[in-house]
Amino acid sequence: MPKLKTKSGAKKRFKVTGTGKVLYAQAGKRHGMIKRTNKQIRNLRGTAVLFKTDGDNIKRYFLPHA
């Protein structure tokens, strides 16, 4: 069987923690900040954790070595 390659797009977008959870950067902060409320901008800071089933799919199909 050929080697499994990691999807390079997923490698840039997701990070797997030591306990196996998948972190992702929150969407909605690229442009158009003026029309967003300060509360929205504040709450979109940092990273968030994917739901378990979504994280499992990411690890299985896109990050096989994670």
Side-chain angles (χ1 to χ4, degrees):
M1 273 191 68
K3 288 185 178 180
L4 285 174
K5 287 193 176 177
T6 298
K7 294 284 185 193
S8 61
K11 162 171 34 171
K12 298 166 193 168
R13 287 170 174 81
F14 302 107
K15 180 184 175 200
V16 181
T17 65
T19 56
K21 294 176 185 171
V22 180
L23 295 177
Y24 69 99
Q26 306 203 68
K29 289 233 7 209
R30 294 293 181 192
H31 58 85
M33 293 299 104
I34 290 176
K35 66 180 87 166
R36 309 219 196 294
T37 64
N38 286 331
K39 183 178 180 182
Q40 278 179 307
I41 294 170
R42 193 170 58 243
N43 288 338
L44 287 173
R45 268 187 213 147
T47 56
V49 178
L50 276 177
F51 286 111
K52 185 177 184 316
T53 49
D54 294 334
D56 291 345
N57 286 335
I58 292 292
K59 285 192 290 187
R60 170 183 282 169
Y61 297 115
F62 301 121
L63 301 170
H65 304 294

